[in-house]
């Protein structure tokens, strides 16, 4: 069979989306939503409290503060901590990690990422001159937390995690992502492992910080309308919280399903020359928010060429994260030294379709399509590069 890019029949009749969110479908869910509507309390009330409680239990953390989204959670966190100085952020992350820093008027210092793990390289964190590290658990794989803690401590800085991808992941010591650093912030937007439509969770072991965050998400109003800090409206709605609470009992099964699908991908693609996979730290468990593959020189085509070929097969992919932050227009004024790991990741990583609702047969088809593309690599390269 010829690849679609060379005129063959596409692998899929209907476009295969990158992600289809998993949602609870309990028979009593409409009635429970109806009860919220009847109550007249539709934001930041009993359902939000309940959701905070069940997620705190699931994650094994003392405090969860639900917010309207992860970006707002990160912004409020930096505000409550009164960080003051520069914040070290990997350039290889999603836009929002850097934006949360900038919205607080704080300078961003870009660190490099390790091309094997795709997480921030602790060795690229400067020795000092910064107030916080905000590290991302890229694609759901935990950062090198011990090394980062040491770097932060040495610099007298706080360690925070953008855990947007990490709900359900575990550190090598078995504890859940959400339990390390001074605080971690999850995203519950539709592309993440657990979704409430829009939403975020801030987790912290610091009771006083949790208390401040609850005030901050309500404009900084402690209850008497004499605002004590420059907060925002960062509240979660009751229906979002209800969706989260209903989804949580299903979540471990969903996570298991993601792991099965990733195993299936890895088994099929391991033999394809040039393809390699994100290294998960020994003993850690990824949430596999994304399944992302590195396209090396031996594949015979570039990552972008592979993406073009898969588009012709009606398979959606993403180049997470290209361009990385330090090459985005809004960060053009941030001085950045060479970030070779970041550049390599940005040039070579391709995210393949993965979600709980993805059929095993669809994974096989994607793998077959990739294999076919590789086998016709020389011919495809000639065709694509000729028309450029
Ligand atoms: C999705 C994402 C965010 C933003 O989450 P929202 O809930 O949409 O604000 C932040 N950081 C990373 C790494 C993300 O992938």
């Amino acid at each position: 069979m010829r690849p679609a890019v060379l005129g063959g029949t596409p692998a899929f009749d209907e476009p295969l989306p990158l992600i289809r969110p998993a949602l609870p479908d309990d028979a009593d869910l409409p009635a429970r939503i109806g009860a919220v509507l009847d109550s007249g309390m539709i934001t930041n009330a009993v359902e939000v409290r309940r959701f905070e409680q069940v997620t705190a239990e699931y994650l094994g953390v003392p405090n969860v503060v639900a917010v309207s989204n992860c970006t707002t959670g990160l912004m409020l966190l930096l505000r409550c901590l009164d960080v003051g100085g520069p914040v070290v952020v990997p350039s290889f992350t999603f836009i929002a990690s850097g934006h949360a820093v900038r919205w607080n008027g704080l300078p961003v210092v870009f660190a490099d990422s390790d091309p094997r793990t795709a997480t921030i390289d602790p060795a690229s964190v400067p020795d000092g001159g910064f107030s916080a590290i905000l590290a991302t658990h890229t694609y759901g794989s935990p950062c090198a937390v011990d090394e980062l803690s040491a770097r932060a401590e040495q610099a007298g800085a706080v360690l925070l995690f953008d855990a947007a991808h990490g709900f359900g992941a575990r550190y090598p010591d078995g504890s859940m992502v959400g339990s390390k650093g001074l605080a971690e912030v999850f995203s519950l937007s539709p592309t993440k492992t657990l979704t409430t439509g829009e939403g975020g969770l801030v987790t912290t072991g610091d009771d006083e910080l949790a208390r401040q965050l609850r005030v901050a998400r309500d404009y900084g109003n402690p209850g008497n309308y004499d605002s004590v800090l420059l907060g925002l409206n960062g509240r979660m709605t009751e229906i979002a919280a209800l969706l989260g609470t209903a989804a949580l009992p299903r979540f471990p099964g969903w996570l298991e399903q993601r792991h099965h699908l990733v195993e299936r991908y890895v088994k099929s693609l391991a033999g394809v020359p040039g393809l390699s996979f994100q290294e998960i730290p020994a003993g850690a468990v990824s949430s596999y928010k994304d399944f992302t593959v590195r396209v090396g020189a031996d594949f015979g085509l570039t990552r972008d060429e592979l993406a073009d070929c898969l588009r012709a097969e009606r398979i959606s992919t993403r180049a997470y994260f290209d361009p990385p932050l330090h090459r985005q227009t809004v960060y053009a004024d941030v001085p950045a030294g060479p970030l070779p790991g970041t550049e390599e990741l940005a040039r070579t990583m391709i995210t393949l379709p993965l979600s709980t609702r993805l059929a095993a047969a669809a994974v096989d088809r994607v793998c077959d399509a990739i294999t076919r593309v590789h086998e016709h690599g020389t011919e495809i390269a000639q065709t694509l590069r000729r028309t450029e």
Side-chain angles (χ1 to χ4, degrees), residues 24 26 32 51 54-55 58 167 194 241-255:
D26 310 45
R32 288 164 69 188
F51 185 44
V54 294
T55 47
Y58 175 75
F167 197 88
L194 177 71
L242 175 62
L243 282 178
T245 301
L248 199 60
R250 312 268 174 117
F251 182 76
W254 290 341
L255 200 59

Side-chain angles (χ1 to χ4, degrees), residues 97-268:
S97 320
H99 282 16
V101 175
R102 276 293 190 84
W103 266 90
N104 274 282
L106 298 169
V108 171
V109 177
F110 288 126
D112 204 7
S113 291
D114 183 330
R116 290 165 304 173
T117 61
T119 55
I120 187 170
D121 179 357
S124 83
V125 174
D127 286 332
F130 60 92
S131 302
I133 300 173
L134 176 59
T136 303
H137 303 302
T138 318
Y139 312 134
S141 179
C143 296
V145 64
D146 294 338
E147 291 85 341
L148 289 172
S149 299
R151 301 299 283 183
E153 201 168 316
Q154 183 191 6
V158 293
L159 177 59
L160 310 170
F161 292 104
D162 179 336
H165 302 178
F167 197 88
R170 283 181 191 274
Y171 288 108
D173 67 4
S175 64
M176 303 222 57
V177 161
S179 61
K180 303 272 188 196
L182 184 51
E184 305 208 39
V185 187
F186 294 100
S187 171
L188 306 173
S189 75
T191 61
K192 310 297 157 80
T193 54
L194 177 71
T195 183
T196 57
E198 299 287 351
L201 299 171
V202 188
T203 59
T204 179
D206 184 322
D207 298 344
E208 174 54 21
L209 175 59
R211 194 194 60 76
Q212 279 186 22
L213 284 162
R214 290 181 206 287
V215 173
R217 74 176 168 191
D218 208 15
Y219 319 101
N221 171 18
N224 62 359
Y225 293 88
D226 178 11
S227 60
V228 290
L229 83 162
L230 207 55
L232 284 170
N233 177 354
R235 296 182 305 242
M236 176 178 277
T237 70
E238 286 286 276
I239 290 173
L242 175 62
L243 282 178
T245 301
L248 199 60
R250 312 268 174 117
F251 182 76
W254 290 341
L255 200 59
E256 205 177 312
Q257 176 68 358
R258 291 182 104 84
H259 278 259
H260 284 316
L261 294 172
V262 167
E263 269 169 40
R264 201 171 180 101
Y265 263 128
V266 168
K267 222 164 153 188
S268 294

Side-chain angles (χ1 to χ4, degrees), residues 63-98:
N63 302 286
V64 173
V65 180
V67 287
S68 49
N69 57 67
C70 172
T71 312
T72 301
L74 290 168
M75 286 165 64
L76 294 176
L77 175 62
L78 292 166
R79 177 64 52 153
C80 286
L81 290 172
D82 203 7
V83 163
V87 180
V88 175
V89 177
S91 171
F92 193 70
T93 181
F94 184 64
I95 296 168
S97 320

